[in-house]
Amino acid sequence: MTAVPTAPTIRTPRTGSRTPGEGRRAALLLSPTFLVLALVILYPLISAFHQSLYSSESGLDAQGFVIEGDVFVGLGNYLEIFAGAESGRFYNALGNTTFFTFTSVALETVIGVAFAVAMNRAFRGRAFLRAAVLVPWAIPTAVSGLLWRWIFQADGIANALSGQQVLWTAEGFASQVAVITAEVWKTAPFIGLLVLAGMQIIPEEVYEAAKLDGAGAWRQFRSITLPLVKPALLVAVLFRLLDALRMFDLPFVLIGPRKSSVETLSILAWDSSNQLQYGAASAFSIVLLVYVAVIAFVFVKLLGADVAGAGEQRRLRRAAAKRGGVR
Amino acid sequence: MTALTASARTTARNRREVLRSVGRWLGIAVIGVYCLAPFYWMLVSSLRRTSDIFDNSLLPTVWSVESYLKVFSGSSNFARALGNSLIVATTTTVLALALGIFAAYAISRLNFRFKSAILAVIIATSMFPGISVVVPLLRLFSDIGWINTYQAMIVPSLSFAIPLAVWNLTTFMKQLPYDLEEAAMIDGATKWQAFRKILLPLAAPGVFTTAILTFIHSWNEFIIALSMVNDPAVQTATVAISKFTGASEFQAPYGEQMAAGVIVTIPLVIVVLIFQRRIVEGLTSGATK
């Protein structure tokens, strides 16, 4: 059984002592990558943090050029976000982001695992399924937003099929349902693929042993499949969580910007920078970044042992030990 | 062992076989409909006449390419947008691969300190929200006059393309045996020659898969292209589509939107159909190896 590391275990070809030459060569080879990452990640990070401590008193002059006069406000922007006049909008965006993330990832996980089980059983249709599952993944999110906007039109196919008269793409809870539906459609198959890959490395003998002991399909799934794909599933769920937290394209295209029921932190930050409120925009994006980091940290801490595949060996042994007697 | 008689066991097994195969096909059907129905609806809607656009029939009553002709007619400038997407996605992919190959070689073949930490940092950067990159770079690019240029979209796109490329290529190169390179070096080849003449050709399939994944991600990118460009002549296809609006919100040109959506998606679907096995391998190799 291969464990699922969060990073691939690194085995260097030669177990020799490090020579200074190799370190230099590695530094040389890695430097272009790090230069670019410094420009597109590190600089924005520092700049956003710096900018979030300033208030940009920007306006437009007669020619439409931006005038900027940055005033140092310290943590003023953050205070403004958390307790200022506009704080309602921030908490709303934070709530939406959290709600979208956890609801859609939970649904995706359930549907994805179900898909993986079905795909694992399908021998003949496997090529077709693999292609079908990749279609939602490959569609650009912006196009998927447009497509679901069309499906959810007032006189569109969704209302026609369900016999409802719901305004899905206006505001309110219906629009949140629309966003979550479109999100789950696009990403559940992806989780399915990752879980399927985890399933395919489970040795057949484990199932054979369980069958001999009279374990039914459900029991096999619960006691063997689920524990053994858990590492692959956790990696998939972590990726999806972090991805969903920065959701932007889908609500933006499907419902639109400045709609309070679907405004995520990303959209709020984007909108602020569009209004030339760079200080606020930077503060929002820093808050989002911290949120992403906290979720990642908590997730790895809570489930880290399993991500590293420690629980797996134990369960394998237990599954093998079960052959000892029928319950 | 259970003590069932042979005959009882066979009937039970037959019944179970039938049930199982029914379940199997049902599963395939459900997944197929789930994944393809919305896409099919986009395709069908794009082939209706504007006057029939609200029909809910399974096939167009009258087939028409009216919407497609409209998409490419002068006003929407969609051909231009597709060209822009192609330029941005191709350049991003080539740059990410070029840097990624060297980085992945170093990580998979050289001994140096802090290797795991370096790889972890590169992977961590891929979790960076797009907006956190866009807001600061927007100001920087305004200052240096880069707004409405290709590089204003390509450079930020590297923030997700490089981690993706490095991660995938490292995973691939690690799977390749080191013996051949070692043998070549014993025969007097330099490290560079061993890399160029042995590792690169062997890693070609991995490079190719990584190229596909990176290209698809860049092609689908939205927030960067939306923020850095407001000139329709430089806009990429995903942004152009999102701005396809009619005279008012109630007269949105749905047919054109669907046609444009199909045009943007079809190349990706074709690539997915041809290289599905590789793509799935590439998507899952990081999570299961």
Side-chain angles (χ1 to χ4, degrees):
Chain A
M1 283 299 309
T2 45
V4 182
T6 39
T9 31
I10 303 212
R11 271 221 316 277
T12 30
R14 244 175 334 105
T15 48
S17 58
R18 296 190 187 101
T19 56
E22 289 216 0
R24 261 206 302 280
R25 192 186 301 253
L28 192 71
L29 289 172
L30 286 164
S31 57
T33 292
F34 272 86
L35 269 177
V36 174
L37 288 181
L39 170 66
V40 295
I41 300 282
L42 193 64
Y43 166 79
L45 184 62
I46 295 168
S47 167
F49 184 68
H50 173 264
Q51 189 58 54
S52 73
L53 303 177
Y54 286 80
S55 171
S56 43
E57 305 286 319
S58 36
L60 297 177
D61 67 4
Q63 283 85 41
F65 287 108
V66 181
I67 314 172
E68 283 161 0
D70 282 356
V71 184
F72 182 75
V73 290
L75 294 178
N77 282 322
Y78 294 94
L79 278 175
E80 190 64 35
I81 286 179
F82 286 105
E86 289 281 292
S87 63
R89 197 175 167 195
F90 164 73
Y91 286 118
N92 172 56
L94 187 68
N96 286 343
T97 304
T98 309
F99 174 66
F100 283 156
T101 299
F102 289 98
T103 317
S104 57
V105 173
L107 286 169
E108 280 155 29
T109 307
V110 173
I111 296 174
V113 170
F115 276 18
V117 170
M119 286 195 282
N120 203 25
R121 292 244 174 95
F123 299 113
R124 275 205 200 101
R126 194 168 278 183
F128 161 75
L129 280 185
R130 205 170 36 206
V133 155
L134 282 172
V135 168
W137 169 83
I139 286 187
T141 314
V143 173
S144 143
L146 208 61
L147 159 63
W148 285 94
R149 191 186 170 88
W150 169 231
I151 290 174
F152 282 126
Q153 268 310 303
D155 33 13
I157 187 79
N159 278 343
L161 287 178
S162 60
Q164 302 285 322
Q165 287 293 314
V166 181
L167 286 175
W168 296 99
T169 52
E171 265 281 19
F173 183 64
S175 62
Q176 296 182 331
V177 172
V179 167
I180 289 170
T181 306
E183 171 79 0
V184 170
W185 172 71
K186 189 166 165 29
T187 44
F190 175 75
I191 293 194
L193 275 180
L194 292 185
V195 174
L196 178 66
M199 276 183 191
Q200 287 172 336
I201 51 178
I202 300 175
E204 199 53 43
E205 297 87 67
V206 185
Y207 287 109
E208 293 300 328
K211 266 184 215 148
L212 288 179
D213 291 341
W218 170 245
R219 187 64 207 268
Q220 286 176 37
F221 172 75
R222 224 179 34 117
S223 307
I224 300 171
T225 312
L226 215 48
L228 291 184
V229 297
K230 202 171 167 187
L233 182 62
L234 287 180
V235 172
V237 168
L238 177 61
F239 277 139
R240 284 293 320 135
L241 275 177
L242 303 182
D243 208 25
L245 282 170
R246 54 189 174 190
M247 197 190 292
F248 177 89
D249 314 15
L250 199 57
F252 187 92
V253 176
L254 180 56
I255 313 292
R258 315 199 65 140
K259 302 271 187 162
S260 71
S261 40
V262 296
E263 185 163 69
T264 61
L265 280 173
S266 279
I267 296 181
L268 180 55
W270 181 87
D271 193 52
S272 306
S273 94
N274 236 20
Q275 314 285 326
L276 304 177
Q277 296 162 335
Y278 290 116
S282 301
F284 287 133
S285 70
I286 292 282
V287 169
L288 174 62
L289 192 63
V290 170
Y291 194 12
V292 169
V294 165
I295 295 275
F297 179 78
V298 168
F299 191 91
V300 172
K301 262 275 170 284
L302 280 180
L303 306 156
D306 274 319
V307 173
E312 194 179 340
Q313 307 303 336
R314 218 177 28 243
R315 283 203 198 83
L316 247 185
R317 272 203 300 276
R318 206 181 302 153
K322 276 207 187 111
R323 297 181 55 177
V326 191
R327 299 195 181 181
Chain B
M1 279 300 296
T2 45
L4 276 170
T5 59
S7 63
R9 206 184 296 162
T10 42
T11 45
R13 190 180 295 155
N14 282 346
R15 203 176 315 135
R16 213 175 302 143
E17 272 312 308
V18 170
L19 269 178
R20 200 170 283 165
S21 73
V22 166
R24 228 175 252 157
W25 289 111
L26 200 68
I28 293 178
V30 167
I31 297 177
V33 168
Y34 174 101
C35 294
L36 299 177
F39 180 71
Y40 173 79
W41 195 243
M42 177 161 78
L43 191 61
V44 169
S45 303
S46 72
L47 291 165
R48 295 186 206 272
R49 290 176 305 186
T50 311
S51 47
D52 311 331
I53 196 71
F54 286 106
D55 282 5
N56 286 333
S57 54
L58 214 51
L59 287 170
T61 39
V62 179
W63 295 75
S64 139
V65 289
E66 188 186 322
S67 297
Y68 288 87
L69 294 176
K70 272 194 191 155
V71 165
F72 287 115
S73 68
S75 62
S76 39
N77 215 354
F78 197 63
R80 181 75 197 253
L82 285 172
N84 293 336
S85 274
L86 196 62
I87 290 170
V88 171
T90 308
T91 316
T92 303
T93 305
V94 169
L95 285 173
L97 282 182
L99 299 181
I101 285 172
F102 290 122
Y105 174 77
I107 294 169
S108 67
R109 290 292 187 260
L110 298 177
N111 261 314
F112 58 95
R113 222 182 291 203
F114 307 127
K115 194 193 283 191
S116 308
I118 283 174
L119 190 58
V121 165
I122 293 176
I123 292 160
T125 54
S126 67
M127 318 266 171
F128 221 73
I131 189 73
S132 312
V133 174
V134 164
V135 172
L137 287 184
L138 190 58
R139 283 198 93 177
L140 175 69
F141 291 168
S142 308
D143 292 344
I144 59 176
W146 269 24
I147 297 299
N148 287 329
T149 59
Y150 290 129
Q151 64 267 28
M153 292 183 274
I154 292 164
V155 171
S157 293
L158 290 173
S159 66
F160 63 82
I162 283 184
L164 186 78
V166 171
W167 169 260
N168 269 295
L169 290 167
T170 303
T171 314
F172 275 113
M173 286 187 191
K174 271 199 181 55
Q175 294 165 16
L176 297 172
Y178 185 61
D179 319 357
L180 287 169
E181 289 153 82
E182 207 165 30
M185 284 192 280
I186 289 170
D187 290 344
T190 60
K191 268 206 168 190
W192 169 244
Q193 283 170 324
F195 163 72
R196 221 187 50 215
K197 296 213 165 110
I198 294 164
L199 181 62
L200 260 194
L202 283 178
V207 172
F208 183 69
T209 305
T210 309
I212 293 175
L213 290 177
T214 314
F215 185 87
I216 290 179
H217 275 270
S218 318
W219 178 265
N220 295 356
E221 202 290 318
F222 183 73
I223 190 170
I224 294 169
L226 176 79
S227 310
M228 299 296 176
V229 167
N230 51 30
D231 174 0
V234 194
Q235 241 163 34
T236 56
T238 46
V239 177
I241 283 186
S242 74
K243 296 192 172 174
F244 263 18
T245 43
S248 81
E249 214 173 303
F250 303 104
Q251 294 180 317
Y254 295 117
E256 281 170 65
Q257 289 182 349
M258 293 304 110
V262 170
I263 294 163
V264 170
T265 311
I266 284 287
L268 302 180
V269 170
I270 291 171
V271 165
V272 159
L273 289 180
I274 299 175
F275 303 112
Q276 44 167 305
R277 193 182 291 269
R278 277 175 187 283
I279 292 175
V280 171
E281 244 164 53
L283 284 177
T284 54
S285 65
T288 50
K289 292 208 171 66

